Amino acid sequence: MKKYIFIILTALLFLGVAFVPLSTASAEEVKNKDRKQTLNIAHRGASGYAPENTIAAFDKAFEMKADMFEVDVQMSKDGELVLIHDTTVDRTTDGSGQVGDFTYEELQELDAGSWFSEEFSGEEIPTLGEVLDKYRGKIGILIELKSPELYPELEEKVAEELRERNLDKPKNNKIIVQSFNHDSVKEMHELLPSIPLGVLLGNTKVTDEQLTEFASYAEYFNPNKSMITKEFVDRLHSFGLKTQPYTVRDKESADFLMKAGVDGIITDFPDYVDPR
């Protein structure tokens, strides 16, 4: 009998020793898997390393293995969808004036790279269509509708560009559209109900009633990073909203946001977002 008890105890001990490392490894794998779901989103491309909203910045984002890059869409005088952040061309080109006062051909004549570095001299202001054609299927694209109140047809034209390329029903959230103008986001929801949408907000208090409304037409609530705490992320998730705060320009902020459980990080420096 003692012999049998010894055999059983030995077997249980062996199974217990074998089981513990497997369980620990499994938990660690789950943890890593969860962390890797945090999207690394290059802000206006990898704009810490190349001039924002240019092909050079988007190429750099792809090279750095970002999950997505963000672009700002406005409209030229003759209705072309162009990628530039400010409503004037003054800061990021060698020109001066309102974006909407230039034709597409006139915008193409501007140098959108030299302000950042002479290395990027001659970079042009790209179009949304050009960028969709070049990068679709290779990297996700987060499209911000910039100052849509200045461009009455902006939402419809963006929707047309996506429909023409069969990107109006994206898989794996490879295309997301967002804006600070929430009426514009609602209009995009009506035009393209299958496209994931994001509501942008600055460092402003938000009520439960607002979150309920946002969740009725958007999947993402993307605030200034200064609003983020673990409790706030949990609150957003309780409303069914994911969150991709902006704009990270230091490693400490990226690490803090990762620990807070955000779903994505919009950053000038994609290498600061490390899911490992």
Side-chain angles (χ1 to χ4, degrees), residues 72-274:
D72 300 291
V73 181
Q74 296 189 61
M75 195 184 303
S76 67
K77 184 177 182 179
D78 49 349
E80 187 68 50
L81 297 179
V82 292
L83 305 186
I84 184 170
H85 176 270
D86 299 359
T87 55
T88 71
V89 301
D90 300 48
R91 180 177 63 87
T92 57
T93 79
D94 58 349
S96 180
Q98 296 288 321
V99 173
D101 290 339
F102 288 83
T103 65
Y104 169 62
E105 184 177 348
E106 289 169 340
L107 288 172
Q108 289 293 285
E109 295 174 356
L110 301 179
D111 181 344
S114 293
W115 69 273
F116 188 90
S117 168
E118 284 303 317
E119 173 189 354
F120 299 102
S121 176
E123 282 289 325
E124 297 179 350
I125 297 175
T127 66
L128 177 62
E130 175 187 0
V131 167
L132 291 175
D133 288 339
K134 181 176 175 63
Y135 298 100
R136 61 175 173 170
K138 299 177 182 178
I139 184 172
I141 303 174
L142 174 59
I143 302 170
E144 180 178 344
L145 307 181
K146 201 71 182 177
S147 301
E149 60 276 7
L150 298 178
Y151 313 105
E153 299 179 356
L154 185 64
E155 296 86 359
E156 180 57 47
K157 283 184 172 291
V158 170
E160 287 176 8
E161 294 279 359
L162 294 173
R163 288 194 202 101
E164 287 175 4
R165 295 165 175 81
N166 296 316
L167 294 173
D168 53 322
K169 296 179 181 179
K171 296 181 179 178
N172 302 320
N173 289 0
K174 286 295 186 182
I175 298 289
I176 303 173
V177 178
Q178 65 177 5
S179 184
F180 281 99
N181 186 315
H182 302 164
D183 288 336
S184 183
V185 179
K186 289 179 185 177
E187 185 171 346
M188 287 302 299
H189 179 63
E190 295 174 2
L191 290 168
L192 298 177
S194 296
I195 288 282
L197 302 173
V199 171
L200 285 163
L201 198 71
N203 190 3
T204 306
K205 184 177 179 180
V206 61
T207 66
D208 287 353
E209 290 74 20
Q210 286 176 300
L211 292 178
T212 298
E213 181 185 1
F214 295 154
S216 69
Y217 60 86
E219 288 73 27
Y220 294 89
F221 177 85
N222 300 337
N224 187 291
K225 64 181 174 62
S226 60
M227 287 184 66
I228 294 297
T229 63
K230 177 68 168 64
E231 292 72 24
F232 187 56
V233 172
D234 290 342
R235 181 182 169 211
L236 293 176
H237 287 168
S238 74
F239 281 85
L241 291 164
K242 296 180 181 180
T243 186
Q244 300 170 335
Y246 66 90
T247 302
V248 167
R249 296 185 174 95
D250 61 88
K251 187 70 168 62
E252 292 74 20
S253 294
D255 291 343
F256 172 81
L257 294 175
M258 292 286 291
K259 291 177 181 177
V262 300
D263 304 284
I265 294 176
I266 299 174
T267 176
D268 290 353
F269 302 91
D271 49 330
Y272 288 175
V273 181
D274 184 359

